[in-house]
Amino acid sequence: MYDIAKLIHLVAGIVWMGGMTFMLLALRPAAMALMEAQPRARLMGEVWRRFFAIVLIAIAALFFSGTHLYTAAFKASKLASGVGSVPLGWNLMLVLGITMMLVFGHIYFAGFRKFQRAVAAAEWPLAAKAAGQIHTLVLANFVLGWVAIAAVRLVR
Ligand code: HEM
């Protein structure tokens, strides 16, 4: 069960981190360089709609698999030594992972909704502002994600 949970955890992490890598380092700079503001906003709206639905699924998978990995190891160490403990890096991953999920909640339920409403009403300055907020928060999650992964691998 531990191995299956870890596989699910890795797959979901790769999907989320890989999607952010593509969006931030390839799609967005290309769209900024080549497209006018309005078609770019429409494109990014459609990209985000699809990608954010995938992220919601990845988050559910990361949360349930991650808490399983964490509690299974905690219980095993308690059984073995009488005191339950996990490496500090795991606690960092727990805190950073949950922070990422809350940040994503803000992206999806605040920024993206605002963006969609602005595009539907053809209020382009508002749409650009909301897109800027989404970009900043995705960037924050991108950094947090790599820090969490480095922590779980490197911090004992
Ligand atoms: C509720 C939030 C989370 C919890 C409780 C959690 C928990 C854990 C635990 C306990 C491990 C270590 C498993 C082991 O070494 O056997 C782990 C590994 C990992 N986690 Fe998370 N995690 C969370 C969120 C995330 C997020 C948001 C990402 C990335 C988007 C992520 C990516 C990874 C990766 C790539 C590994 C594998 C590192 C390795 O090979 O040792 N996790 N996680």
Side-chain angles (χ1 to χ4, degrees):
M1 188 58 198
Y2 193 93
D3 289 344
I4 303 280
K6 187 142 181 193
L7 177 63
I8 291 171
H9 199 74
L10 277 174
V11 169
I14 289 165
V15 166
W16 192 2
M17 296 306 297
M20 286 195 289
T21 304
F22 172 69
M23 205 161 82
L24 291 171
L25 302 182
L27 178 64
R28 184 175 184 273
M32 294 294 269
L34 296 177
M35 296 177 81
E36 301 295 330
Q38 293 180 19
R40 187 173 71 229
R42 288 209 177 84
L43 171 75
M44 290 312 288
E46 284 302 296
V47 168
W48 284 333
R49 188 169 63 75
R50 288 169 175 82
F51 178 58
F52 291 163
I54 295 167
V55 174
L56 281 174
I57 298 169
I59 283 180
L62 281 165
F63 183 80
F64 289 113
S65 59
T67 47
H68 175 79
L69 296 173
Y70 187 101
T71 50
F74 186 88
K75 281 182 196 153
S77 88
K78 192 161 187 183
L79 254 171
S81 67
V83 200
S85 75
V86 290
L88 173 62
W90 290 30
N91 286 316
L92 290 172
M93 165 146 282
L94 173 68
V95 172
L96 293 171
I98 287 177
T99 307
M100 287 174 72
M101 292 169 193
L102 294 175
V103 170
F104 181 76
H106 202 74
I107 293 173
Y108 191 73
F109 295 106
F112 186 48
R113 290 283 147 85
K114 220 188 293 168
F115 175 83
Q116 282 182 311
R117 275 197 304 271
V119 170
E123 295 191 15
W124 303 109
L126 261 183
K129 195 167 164 226
Q133 282 164 356
I134 291 171
H135 172 65
T136 307
L137 292 174
V138 172
L139 201 58
N141 262 351
F142 186 64
V143 173
L144 289 174
W146 291 121
V147 173
I149 291 170
V152 86
R153 293 257 20 139
L154 302 177
V155 182
R156 292 284 126 211

